[in-house]
Amino acid sequence: MQPLSGREKAYLFVRDQVLSSPAATGTFLNEQELATRIGVSRTPVREALLMLQSEGLVEMVPKRGAHVPAMSGRQIAELMDLRGVLERHAATRALRAGDAPIAAMQNALTEQELLMNSGDADAPKQFIDWDGTFHQSLIDSAGSDLLSRTYAGLRARQLRVGLSALFTAANRQHRVCAEHQAIIDALGAGDEGLVHEKIDAHLEVTLQTLLRA
């Protein structure tokens, strides 16, 4: 595999490690600090920030740098809508191919259940990481590299809103696990319509939780 360029390293670091944190919302990113942490010069960091600006993840403010804006209600709704489209499509393809990733999704859910009552300060982030694994497993089962890359590219946004949902709603982690189990059960039953219904229900509850936050 060809080594990543400085710009690619910076882009992935900022997208997946900096912007994925709810604490980043409303802050300005320091190019020199990022360059030091990543181990590159400021030029690839600036190039990466411009790429992230084109994706709507940061805003370049003259004389201030890269600002991390809060996600609006409309942006959150659009994110959930897009997730629904991609996940329903992936589920349909997996079921028709007889290749629903039930074992991988059940494993991710089991890990989430183990984290529900953990007192570890990092548990919410780990819970959301496994949430990403749960949904990405479904997406990957469709066998489309473009679909998988498109969904993975939503990761920073999903992490930010996912962590927010966990902190703003009582017992949300327990409900997430129950909703995930319902999706798995529908896949196991081979019922395409029911799978779509359970995916939609899960994303709708998450959306309403976030809009109330």
Side-chain angles (χ1 to χ4, degrees):
M1 181 180 295
Q2 186 175 359
L4 295 175
S5 67
R7 180 179 63 183
E8 291 169 332
K9 288 172 60 178
Y11 172 84
L12 293 174
F13 180 86
V14 177
R15 188 193 71 182
D16 295 342
Q17 297 190 44
V18 178
L19 297 181
S20 63
S21 170
T25 300
T27 65
F28 281 86
L29 305 181
N30 184 290
E31 290 183 12
Q32 186 56 59
E33 289 181 4
L34 288 172
T36 300
R37 291 173 64 184
I38 301 166
V40 297
S41 67
R42 290 182 61 175
T43 297
V45 170
R46 166 54 68 92
E47 293 173 345
L49 292 175
L50 290 173
M51 291 170 63
L52 292 163
Q53 177 181 235
S54 71
E55 297 176 14
L57 287 170
V58 301
E59 298 172 342
M60 300 303 291
V61 180
K63 299 182 180 180
R64 296 292 303 276
H67 177 252
V68 183
M71 290 182 67
S72 68
R74 177 177 177 176
Q75 288 173 319
I76 293 171
E78 289 176 348
L79 171 62
M80 293 302 160
D81 186 54
L82 179 56
R83 283 186 58 184
V85 170
L86 299 180
E87 291 185 30
R88 290 192 300 271
H89 175 69
T92 292
R93 291 191 58 168
L95 285 172
R96 293 180 181 178
D99 195 28
I102 293 173
M105 295 171 74
Q106 190 70 63
N107 178 68
L109 174 55
T110 297
E111 294 293 341
Q112 287 186 293
E113 291 171 336
L114 292 173
L115 289 164
M116 281 195 298
N117 300 313
S118 172
D120 189 336
D122 196 43
K125 174 64 164 55
Q126 294 178 45
F127 186 94
I128 290 298
D129 284 343
W130 280 109
D131 186 271
T133 299
F134 178 93
H135 290 280
Q136 190 72 49
S137 295
L138 176 58
I139 292 293
D140 291 346
S141 70
S144 167
D145 289 341
L146 179 58
L147 179 62
S148 292
R149 289 198 303 271
T150 299
Y151 193 87
L154 301 174
R155 178 175 172 77
R157 291 180 175 85
Q158 293 184 62
L159 279 172
R160 286 171 66 192
V161 299
L163 283 168
S164 297
L166 289 183
F167 289 124
T168 57
N171 297 317
R172 180 59 189 147
Q173 292 185 33
H174 290 81
R175 293 183 66 185
V176 165
C177 288
E179 291 158 17
H180 280 183
Q181 188 63 62
I183 294 172
I184 292 172
D185 292 345
L187 284 167
D191 189 328
E192 181 181 331
L194 184 60
V195 174
H196 288 187
E197 177 185 320
K198 296 305 180 182
I199 289 172
D200 288 343
H202 174 49
L203 296 177
E204 179 62 24
V205 172
T206 302
L207 172 61
Q208 294 306 318
T209 299
L210 292 166
L211 293 180
R212 288 194 299 268

